[in-house]
Amino acid sequence: MARRRIIAGNWKMNKTPSEAVALCNELKDLVKNDAVDVVYCVPAIDIVPVVEAVKGTNVHVGAENFYIVDNGAFTGEISAPMLKDAGVEYIIIGHSERRDIFGENDILINQKVKKAFASGLTPILCCGESLALRKADTYKEWIERQITWDLDGVTADQVKKLVIAYEPIWAIGTGETATADQAEEVCGLIRSLIAKLYDQATADEVRIQYGGSMNAGNAAELLSKPNIDGGLIGGASLKPDFGKIVNA
Ligand code: 13P
């Protein structure tokens, strides 16, 4: 079945609100493509101005983080209803930077996936192995374990709407991209795992992205692979190059 391509930028901790609006205006004409879902996942403080700046365009807005409770005494956190009310549609969950720098584990990540669906947000669930696991040739088991834990109790109907991003940690921000064959191997493995955990129809619908030093030069080859339905892009999402990835 034909899955709709999804190209998402992960702006990480970049762009002040006024810089964010300027970037939206700079990219506006470059990211036009009716055949692709285009998403900007932006810092919390940029969400309101970015939602306003992309009004009337094909761009959807995502957030980079949230907490699993709707409101209350959680200093510094932001909730799913807040994001939803501001116009957010997608939410990145389980990024390796949140796992490794902020200590998020698969129990919390699983709670976040369920809470996102319950709140009407579409999760972009990230997984990926370290260089040590890649070298030890245990990366397949690692990815299967992450996905199995993160999707515990998530229904097939929800998984059909889910986006999974395979982001090998050794390829993030390093300029060292996984080869198209390496990326396809793991994206195919993830799809097979979804078929095993759920069924083939669910596996055929779930969208799987590659992320890690994806750029205007390597996007077309990565996106030509049968199990790669899109990209989650860091550095190159902050530049006009992002338009070339959308239209690769
Ligand atoms: P880079 O594209 O900068 O390697 O970042 C990838 C990433 O972490 C996207 O979530």
Side-chain angles (χ1 to χ4, degrees), residues 10 12 95 97 167 171-174 211-214 232-236:
N10 173 7
K12 307 192 177 182
H95 193 281
E97 286 149 20
E167 299 205 310
I172 295 177
T174 57
S213 298
M214 197 167 181
L232 184 58
I233 294 104

Side-chain angles (χ1 to χ4, degrees), residues 14-35:
N14 293 293
K15 302 296 170 187
T16 65
S18 55
E19 289 169 348
V21 171
L23 181 59
C24 291
N25 293 335
E26 187 185 3
L27 294 180
K28 197 171 184 168
D29 292 331
L30 305 176
V31 299
K32 278 189 185 148
N33 187 332
D34 289 341

Side-chain angles (χ1 to χ4, degrees), residues 81-190:
M82 292 173 185
L83 297 176
K84 189 80 185 141
D85 186 62
V88 167
E89 295 172 74
Y90 292 87
I91 174 76
I92 296 175
I93 299 174
H95 193 281
S96 58
E97 286 149 20
R98 299 247 24 118
R99 292 178 191 258
D100 294 347
I101 304 171
F102 300 101
E104 293 195 10
N105 62 23
D106 289 294
I107 295 171
L108 178 62
I109 290 163
N110 172 247
Q111 290 174 319
K112 287 188 169 190
V113 171
K114 288 190 275 202
K115 181 66 186 177
F117 275 122
S119 308
L121 297 169
T122 299
I124 299 176
L125 172 63
C126 303
C127 61
E129 81 283 4
S130 64
L131 186 59
L133 292 176
R134 169 63 60 167
K135 283 187 172 158
D137 201 24
T138 52
Y139 60 97
K140 293 180 195 158
E141 295 85 336
W142 174 262
I143 302 287
E144 287 194 347
R145 205 176 62 188
Q146 282 187 321
I147 296 291
T148 304
W149 280 355
D150 297 347
L151 293 184
D152 185 45
V154 178
T155 69
D157 282 344
Q158 290 172 329
V159 173
K160 285 177 182 161
K161 296 187 206 113
L162 179 69
V163 180
I164 296 175
Y166 168 55
E167 299 205 310
I169 297 168
W170 47 272
I172 295 177
T174 57
E176 187 183 347
T177 322
T179 65
D181 286 341
Q182 285 174 321
E184 168 64 13
E185 179 194 42
V186 177
C187 292
L189 177 92
I190 293 169

